[in-house]
Amino acid sequence: MKVKVRLYSVLREAAGKGELELELGDGITVSGLLEKLSSVGLGKVLEELKGEVQVIVNGKSLAPSQLIPQDAKVIHVLPPSSGGSERVLVRIARDDEPVDLASLTSFLYGDNPRVGAVAFFIGIVRGINNGEQVKELDYEHSEELMEPKLRELASEAITKFSLAGACVIHFVGPRKPGQLTMVVGVSGESRKNVFPALEWLVDHVKHEAPVWKTEVRESGVYYMVGDREIKETELKRGS
């Protein structure tokens, strides 16, 4: 099967690009995938990471002995996050890429005995806005800047609210009503730091991440810029 392998941070730098296309045999495990990546020039960096690489397929984090699913189209390979015991996971998602909350909860808990609460915000495309039917949203983003900014915000939330971990998964491209737009999760000692941290992180992702929303409604196309919306016909009229 042919799959796309998306690489992040030091793995991306070592490969010289953020995505590889690999042909994988049936019944290959995560360990087998990492061996194949070692054979295409990532052996040195993978050896330095000493098994701390995280492999995510179809929204689930897989153990080294687990098989790569036959329906896998995109495999995310992540190095350990900076910050010691802090756990940060960020991902740019597309199309119908699944998000597994059980897997994210396990990641945010991380066998940390201090963790007593995990909270999520799940954003979806609403079907009505300003009294009109929404046909579609489209999220344009900066491929180069998006992931670093999400990681920066998640790390800042961890420091600001004394969290154990944080994750941000943001969808890009076209989205229909009812589909996911983002999943943000945080973990900490209790609801007293988890709830305000979650609200802070969601707000800052919405206002600071390099992603721009276009909304298609019954009356036309609208560009969402800051807290304003600009109708496409107004731009053409002013040109």
Side-chain angles (χ1 to χ4, degrees):
M1 59 179 175
K2 183 173 288 187
V3 300
K4 293 181 179 180
V5 179
R6 290 189 183 144
L7 306 170
Y8 299 85
S9 186
V10 66
L11 293 170
R12 180 184 61 236
E13 292 301 312
K17 51 186 174 181
E19 186 172 286
L20 302 174
E21 282 199 2
L22 296 180
E23 189 73 40
L24 302 180
D26 293 340
I28 189 171
T29 63
V30 168
S31 292
L33 168 69
L34 296 179
E35 288 177 9
K36 193 166 185 69
L37 290 174
S38 294
S39 71
V40 295
L42 293 174
K44 183 177 180 181
V45 67
L46 287 172
E47 175 64 25
E48 290 181 1
L49 295 176
K50 300 184 185 302
E52 295 182 46
V53 169
Q54 185 179 19
V55 174
I56 297 176
V57 184
N58 294 339
K60 295 183 178 180
S61 181
L62 301 182
S65 60
Q66 288 185 277
L67 295 174
I68 301 294
Q70 288 291 316
D71 63 348
K73 290 182 172 55
V74 178
I75 299 174
H76 301 269
V77 182
L78 295 78
S81 300
S82 59
S85 61
E86 296 175 355
R87 300 175 69 79
V88 174
L89 185 151
V90 300
R91 197 165 93 230
I92 300 171
R94 297 168 174 81
D95 303 322
D96 293 324
E97 193 172 328
V99 177
D100 187 276
L101 290 181
S103 179
L104 290 178
T105 300
S106 178
F107 171 82
L108 291 171
Y109 174 57
D111 292 326
N112 185 338
R114 292 195 308 108
V115 173
V118 175
F120 288 102
F121 168 83
I122 302 173
I124 61 173
V125 180
R126 60 177 173 264
I128 300 291
N129 188 24
N130 288 337
E132 289 188 272
Q133 181 180 352
V134 175
K135 297 180 179 180
E136 182 179 271
L137 295 185
D138 189 78
Y139 286 96
E140 178 186 351
H141 74 293
S142 166
E143 192 74 41
E144 181 181 2
L145 302 176
M146 182 78 159
E147 182 199 332
K149 187 60 180 182
L150 295 180
R151 187 172 296 278
E152 174 192 323
L153 292 172
S155 296
E156 187 176 348
I158 286 175
T159 300
K160 184 178 182 68
F161 295 94
S162 300
L163 300 174
C167 68
V168 181
I169 299 172
H170 204 302
F171 281 83
V172 296
R175 311 298 293 161
K176 297 291 187 182
Q179 289 186 314
L180 296 178
T181 58
M182 74 167 86
V183 177
V184 179
V186 296
S187 60
E189 290 187 355
S190 74
R191 67 183 187 279
K192 292 183 179 180
N193 66 327
V194 162
F195 285 158
L198 182 63
E199 183 177 14
W200 182 93
L201 184 52
V202 170
D203 285 346
H204 281 71
V205 168
K206 288 177 70 68
H207 288 97
E208 296 184 27
V211 59
W212 301 273
K213 182 171 69 174
T214 303
E215 186 171 273
V216 182
R217 303 203 296 259
E218 293 174 297
S219 61
V221 177
Y222 295 82
Y223 293 90
M224 306 301 172
V225 183
D227 294 324
R228 297 178 298 132
E229 60 178 43
I230 301 174
K231 195 172 183 179
E232 185 179 46
T233 54
E234 294 177 4
L235 295 174
K236 293 179 178 178
R237 188 182 305 129
S239 61

